[in-house]
Amino acid sequence: MVTIKVKCRFMAKTSKEGIIYYQITYNRSVRQLKTDYRLLRYEWDNKKGIITERGKCRYDYLRFIKKCIDKDILRLNHIITQFKDNKMPFTSDDIISVFQAQTIEPSLFCFMQDFITQLRQMGKQRTRETYSAALKSFMRFRENEDIPLKDIDSDLIQIY
């Protein structure tokens, strides 16, 4: 059985941001998969292993990180399911390798969500609403299946 836990590591005596990582355990082999997501100490509930939404100034950022974590967990579970369905022997390291290989390609949905978050932080409300509506429309068109930026071409846009 494979278990995935979301954890956050903080420096011992500093107030700097902590780093979110995933702890993947399979056949008593424990591995850690570091992310680029960073949180302040008061934004993380260590007992529950979840992000708390204290403070209005970083609310949008925290919601974005939550969505990214949920998406990462779905991807990890999908990778594990593929290994099991193909009846291939695998290790925790194999899961991490496949995940990291897929992560290298930037995707449209992540790029757009990042950009929309930046627009909100800059106070560009109407532009943010327009980009949000366009992203939702394209997500419906793609049936919520993300697409690497390199795969977007004129043919896809014409079909859309």
Side-chain angles (χ1 to χ4, degrees):
M1 180 174 160
V2 182
T3 60
I4 303 167
K5 294 182 181 176
V6 181
K7 298 195 170 200
C8 191
R9 178 181 300 122
F10 295 96
M11 299 301 282
K13 296 182 180 180
T14 65
S15 60
K16 289 186 179 181
E17 294 178 327
I19 299 172
I20 295 285
Y21 68 95
Y22 307 125
Q23 180 178 297
I24 301 169
T25 307
Y26 180 63
N27 285 343
R28 297 183 190 157
S29 171
V30 180
R31 297 292 181 262
Q32 295 178 357
L33 176 60
K34 188 182 132 210
T35 69
D36 293 330
Y37 314 138
R38 300 187 183 281
L39 299 174
L40 299 172
R41 201 174 286 275
Y42 67 87
E43 295 170 335
W44 180 252
D45 185 337
N46 224 11
K47 291 179 184 173
K48 295 179 183 177
I50 60 171
I51 295 173
T52 62
E53 294 179 359
R54 297 182 194 150
K56 295 279 183 187
C57 62
R58 289 175 41 113
Y59 179 77
D60 292 330
Y61 173 75
L62 295 176
R63 280 188 39 215
F64 174 72
I65 295 300
K66 275 185 175 180
K67 286 181 183 179
C68 290
I69 289 172
D70 291 343
K71 189 174 180 181
D72 288 348
I73 297 299
L74 279 173
R75 283 183 49 219
L76 285 166
N77 285 323
H78 181 72
I79 291 166
I80 293 163
T81 302
Q82 284 181 324
F83 276 123
K84 287 181 178 178
D85 288 348
N86 294 331
K87 296 182 178 17
M88 296 173 57
F90 64 95
T91 65
S92 300
D93 291 324
D94 294 332
I95 296 167
I96 291 171
S97 294
V98 172
F99 182 87
Q100 289 174 331
Q102 292 175 351
T103 306
I104 292 171
E105 295 185 44
S107 67
L108 176 67
F109 295 175
C110 288
F111 172 78
M112 289 292 291
Q113 287 167 344
D114 268 345
F115 191 68
I116 291 166
T117 300
Q118 289 174 9
L119 289 170
R120 173 173 266 171
Q121 290 170 348
M122 292 186 298
K124 307 257 182 182
Q125 185 64 21
R126 295 292 180 212
T127 307
R128 183 196 65 80
E129 289 171 0
T130 302
Y131 277 75
S132 293
L135 176 59
K136 285 178 186 174
S137 171
F138 196 75
M139 288 173 81
R140 275 193 308 276
F141 166 73
R142 294 276 305 161
E143 296 176 349
N144 287 326
E145 185 179 328
D146 206 350
I147 183 169
L149 288 174
K150 69 177 179 80
D151 290 349
I152 299 172
D153 57 11
S154 60
D155 295 334
L156 175 68
I157 300 303
Q158 283 179 342
I159 293 169
Y160 168 66

